[in-house]
């Protein structure tokens, strides 16, 4: 899709359709809507006065302007409700963009002018949100369909913000494209069947983004994992014929060679189970096919790194993705087996289906070995998180309240919700083992918390937060602004987080410079 911006008016815009945001209870007797109403020969007023559209979020009305009449070059108009004007944020602009292109694509529109009307907001930010929402909105999970596949495409998108700074608009739109495409990259990986997304293939995809966008990459194979003593990760891989991989991607800002001792170093760590059968503690058949998305945490890390490499924030970021299948076989780890993690900690494997925490244990340890001082890990870790929070909020837990608050706030800004669960030390009692240091399950109570308590055992000495995306990474139903299937949750939040951290680090450096 070709992406353009315009700081001029909507009237001369050479597109087939205009999509215009309409606020709750807005009338056509002043401002922008008055102008639009006049250009449309009174159609806008008629729609609003009939209350066919009240401006509530998610509502829309589609119109054809009468042939021959004066008015805008675009002959079709989509009015989109965006809710209260006072609450209108970048996250709403993004949903507006997604809804608009999905509705117009369904009507075979090839070129769209988006008028988000985020007049009070920062132009670059609005353009970014509008484009990102549109790119995300156009993703479909029907890759392997040969009939009834969504073949229509929007070929050209123009974001319109009359009077805005041209350069800011252009920059914003470009950022939106990078972010949207990276979210879709994550969704595409998550959507792939297990046969097409093995650890080896996932590592190839990581290698491709490293080559294309200029990231350092190291892929650990089984022999390297053995050298590192990653017994927890290897215990999960044992049952599979597919060799495990651990992808390590490093982004360094321009001019920076390495991270010095004592310097802040952020690592993102993501669970990359390319298919989770449960292993010997095998899962029931119903819905097992969905366990192809058990690598979404890893795909999220790759999506964020892909965008970071292009947006080039001034802070280094490390991405670590441990990847394996979880399969039953004659070689598989059995319930009751004891394995030794990279740190030397021994683990009694009570349930081989609690494999995510095992691979994350060694991945977090490895991130620490590489110098990470702050770790955010993400994983489709527990079914329990869907019971607690459904598909609305991602569960967040950790040891550093400031880090947790920053992630929650970064999410709020981009329209992704996180809800913190407690992680008191009492919960750790549930994972004490009689035979080893810890065990990999903590009983029926507080399943999401005891899973996090397990990872916490490997996150000592660092600042750490954990995202359980099991409930939010997959949408069972389509939304007006997004297809059903993989959601790409947390990519935008973490990118916003990285950019906020970069701004903070920049600010701190400046302050330091001033005091010198
Ligand atoms: N990958 C699953 C968690 C999951 C469940 C993700 C549903 C997405 C949707 C994880 O490896 C798992 O099986 N967890 C077990 C843990 C239990 C054995 C303690 C679970 O949640 O049932
Ligand atoms: Zn499992
Ligand atoms: Zn799993």
């Amino acid at each position: 899709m070709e992406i353009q911006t315009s700081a001029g008016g909507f009237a001369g815009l050479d597109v087939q359709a205009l999509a215009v945001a309409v606020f709750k209870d807005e009338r056509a007797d002043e401002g922008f809507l008055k102008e639009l109403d006049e250009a449309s020969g009174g159609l806008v007023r008629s729609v609003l006065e009939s209350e066919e559209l009240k401006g509530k979020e998610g509502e829309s009305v589609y119109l054809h302007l009468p042939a021959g009449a004066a008015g805008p070059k675009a002959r079709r108009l989509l009015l989109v409700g965006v809710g209260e004007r006072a609450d209108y944020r970048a996250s709403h602009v993004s949903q507006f963009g997604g809804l608009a292109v999905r509705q117009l694509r369904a009507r075979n529109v090839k070129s769209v002018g988006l008028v988000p009307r985020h007049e009070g907001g920062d132009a670059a930010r609005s353009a970014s949100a509008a484009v990102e929402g549109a790119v995300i909105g156009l993703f479909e999970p029907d890759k392997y369909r040969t009939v009834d596949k969504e073949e229509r495409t929007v070929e050209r998108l123009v974001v319109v913000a009359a009077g805005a700074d041209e350069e800011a608009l252009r920059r914003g739109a470009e950022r939106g494209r990078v972010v949207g495409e990276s979210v879709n990259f994550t969704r595409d990986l998550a959507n792939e069947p297990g046969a097409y997304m093995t650890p080896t293939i996932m590592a190839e995809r990581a290698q491709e983004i490293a080559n294309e966008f200029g990231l350092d990459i190291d892929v650990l194979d089984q022999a390297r994992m053995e050298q590192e003593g990653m017994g927890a990760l290897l215990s999960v891989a044992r049952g599979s014929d597919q060799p495990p991989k651990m992808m390590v991607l490093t982004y360094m800002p321009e001019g920076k060679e390495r991270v010095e001792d004592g310097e802040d170093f952020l690592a993102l760590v993501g669970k990359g189970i390319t298919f989770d059968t449960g292993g010997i503690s095998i899962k029931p058949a119903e819905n097992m096919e969905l366990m192809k998305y058990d690598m979404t945490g890893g795909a999220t890390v790759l999506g964020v790194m892909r965008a970071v490499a292009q947006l080039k924030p001034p802070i280094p970021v490390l991405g670590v993705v441990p990847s394996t299948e979880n399969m039953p076989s004659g070689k598989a780890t059995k319930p009751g087996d004891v394995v030794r993690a990279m740190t030397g900690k021994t683990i009694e494997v009570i349930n081989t289906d609690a494999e995510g925490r095992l691979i994350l244990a060694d991945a977090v340890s490895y991130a620490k070995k590489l110098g990470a001082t702050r770790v955010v890990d993400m994983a489709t870790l527990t079914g329990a998180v869907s019971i607690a929070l459904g598909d609305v909020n991602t569960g967040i837990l950790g040891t550093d309240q400031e880090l947790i608050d920053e992630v929650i706030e970064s999410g709020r800004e981009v329209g992704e919700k996180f809800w913190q669960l407690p992680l008191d030390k009492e919960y750790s009692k549930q994972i004490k083992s009689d035979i080893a240091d810890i065990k990999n399950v903590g009983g029926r109570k507080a399943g999401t918390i005891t899973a996090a308590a397990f990872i916490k055992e490997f996150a000592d000495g660092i600042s750490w937060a954990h995202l359980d995306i099991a409930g939010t990474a997959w949408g069972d139903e389509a939304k007006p602004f997004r297809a059903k299937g993989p959601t790409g949750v947390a990519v935008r939040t973490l990118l916003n987080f990285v950019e906020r951290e970069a701004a903070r680090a920049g600010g701190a450096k400046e302050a330091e410079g001033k005091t010198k």
Side-chain angles (χ1 to χ4, degrees):
M1 182 168 65
E2 201 185 331
I3 295 166
Q4 299 168 339
T5 54
S6 166
F10 64 87
L13 210 65
D14 189 16
V15 288
Q16 290 175 330
L18 283 176
V20 177
V22 176
F23 299 110
K24 187 149 180 291
D25 298 326
E26 196 178 2
R27 307 180 64 86
D29 43 20
E30 57 176 4
F32 180 84
L33 284 193
K34 184 173 184 216
E35 210 184 307
L36 187 67
D37 181 56
E38 282 164 5
S40 72
L43 278 176
V44 173
R45 178 185 297 270
S46 152
V47 167
L48 297 182
E49 282 182 355
S50 66
E51 297 196 349
E52 194 178 333
L53 183 92
K54 287 179 152 183
K56 277 198 278 190
E57 256 177 86
E59 281 181 346
S60 62
V61 166
Y62 177 66
L63 305 164
H64 273 251
L65 302 185
K73 248 187 175 165
R75 300 316 285 169
R76 299 182 232 178
L77 191 56
L78 182 73
L79 301 176
V80 181
V82 294
E84 299 285 352
R85 192 194 283 265
D87 300 336
Y88 196 50
R89 307 262 181 283
S91 56
H92 301 97
V93 174
S94 167
Q95 294 193 356
F96 157 77
L99 182 148
V101 293
R102 285 177 71 75
Q103 296 247 345
L104 292 171
R105 177 182 65 181
R107 292 169 169 109
N108 206 28
V109 172
K110 301 292 180 206
S111 53
V112 174
L114 281 182
V115 190
R117 302 183 59 213
H118 196 216
E119 289 115 6
D122 145 0
R125 208 179 168 84
S126 318
S128 172
V131 172
E132 152 213 306
V135 171
I136 290 169
L138 290 172
F139 176 93
E140 288 297 327
D142 60 359
K143 184 166 175 185
Y144 295 105
R145 273 196 183 153
T146 61
V147 286
D148 294 337
K149 190 173 161 70
E150 181 55 81
E151 302 282 10
R152 289 167 296 203
T153 50
V154 172
E155 288 158 9
R156 196 159 62 87
L157 184 76
V158 189
V159 180
V160 188
D165 177 60
E166 274 282 3
E167 176 51 27
L169 268 186
R170 205 197 47 72
R171 236 183 318 111
E174 172 57 13
R175 179 185 181 278
R177 185 187 63 75
V178 169
V179 175
E181 287 176 359
S182 296
V183 171
N184 288 352
F185 174 86
T186 296
R187 296 165 85 193
D188 180 46
L189 259 55
N191 194 40
E192 287 289 1
Y196 302 148
M197 191 47 59
T198 61
T200 302
I201 298 173
M202 198 167 174
E204 283 167 11
R205 299 297 297 271
Q207 184 74 58
E208 281 165 20
I209 54 171
N211 294 349
E212 187 173 353
F213 302 112
L215 292 164
D216 273 351
I217 182 165
D218 184 20
V219 179
L220 279 69
D221 61 6
Q222 186 166 329
R224 297 260 314 271
M225 292 172 193
E226 278 161 10
Q227 278 168 16
E228 295 288 347
M230 297 177 172
L233 167 55
L234 287 166
S235 78
V236 178
R238 196 163 299 140
S240 170
D241 286 349
Q242 292 292 335
K245 302 283 173 197
M246 177 126 96
M247 295 146 246
V248 181
L249 294 126
T250 312
Y251 163 77
M252 278 292 161
E254 222 172 68
K256 192 168 173 67
E257 289 276 311
R258 68 185 78 80
V259 179
E260 306 295 341
D261 275 356
E263 237 183 302
D264 192 35
F265 192 15
L266 172 70
L268 306 175
V269 178
K271 170 179 174 181
I273 295 289
T274 60
F275 197 84
D276 183 11
T277 65
I280 296 298
S281 315
I282 199 157
K283 287 181 179 293
E286 199 177 325
N287 295 330
M288 204 209 271
E289 72 283 359
L290 263 183
M291 283 299 110
K292 67 177 187 178
Y293 89 89
D294 212 18
M295 31 57 71
T296 307
T300 305
V301 171
L302 298 184
V304 175
M305 295 305 290
R306 183 189 181 281
V308 161
Q310 294 173 79
L311 299 175
K312 303 190 192 303
I315 56 167
V317 186
L318 180 68
V320 180
V321 181
S323 180
T324 169
E325 289 182 334
N326 185 24
M327 300 289 281
S329 85
K331 295 202 185 81
T333 297
K334 302 168 203 59
D337 283 354
V338 172
V339 303
R340 186 182 297 270
M342 185 180 160
T343 58
K345 231 172 227 183
T346 55
I347 305 163
E348 183 184 9
V349 179
I350 300 289
N351 188 321
T352 62
D353 197 11
E355 83 297 341
R357 62 200 77 181
L358 293 171
I359 71 170
L360 288 170
D362 283 340
V364 169
S365 306
Y366 195 65
K368 271 177 67 176
K369 182 178 168 175
L370 296 180
T373 55
R374 297 204 290 168
V375 170
V376 180
D377 83 71
M378 58 218 76
T380 47
L381 204 63
T382 65
V385 80
S386 315
I387 306 296
L389 303 174
D391 60 6
V392 178
N393 277 278
T394 292
I396 182 167
L397 309 95
T399 51
D400 178 348
Q401 195 56 44
E402 209 181 310
L403 175 64
I404 292 168
D405 289 342
E406 263 298 309
V407 174
I408 295 174
E409 180 55 23
S410 304
R412 209 188 55 76
E413 284 185 351
V414 301
E416 294 185 327
K417 296 182 183 187
F418 293 80
W419 194 263
Q420 187 177 359
L421 297 176
L423 192 53
D424 309 75
K425 61 180 186 307
E426 287 90 328
Y427 292 106
S428 298
K429 287 200 185 115
Q430 285 177 239
I431 55 165
K432 284 223 150 66
S433 162
D434 293 335
I435 180 174
D437 297 331
I438 48 175
K439 56 185 178 182
N440 77 329
V441 297
R444 271 172 48 79
K445 294 178 181 169
T448 302
I449 298 176
T450 52
F454 183 93
I455 303 170
K456 182 178 154 193
E457 296 283 329
F458 302 89
D460 48 334
I462 54 168
S463 137
W464 164 71
H466 158 69
L467 316 179
D468 194 333
I469 59 172
T472 49
W474 196 267
D476 291 334
E477 280 159 23
K479 301 257 190 204
F481 51 86
R482 186 194 72 209
K484 69 174 175 180
T487 61
V489 72
V491 174
R492 283 181 279 183
T493 296
L494 291 167
L495 275 173
N496 190 31
F497 172 76
V498 168
E499 289 185 326
R500 284 168 57 109
E501 291 305 293
R504 268 207 335 195
K509 239 188 196 160
E510 220 168 79
E512 199 180 291
K514 275 186 193 144
T515 53
K516 266 184 192 160

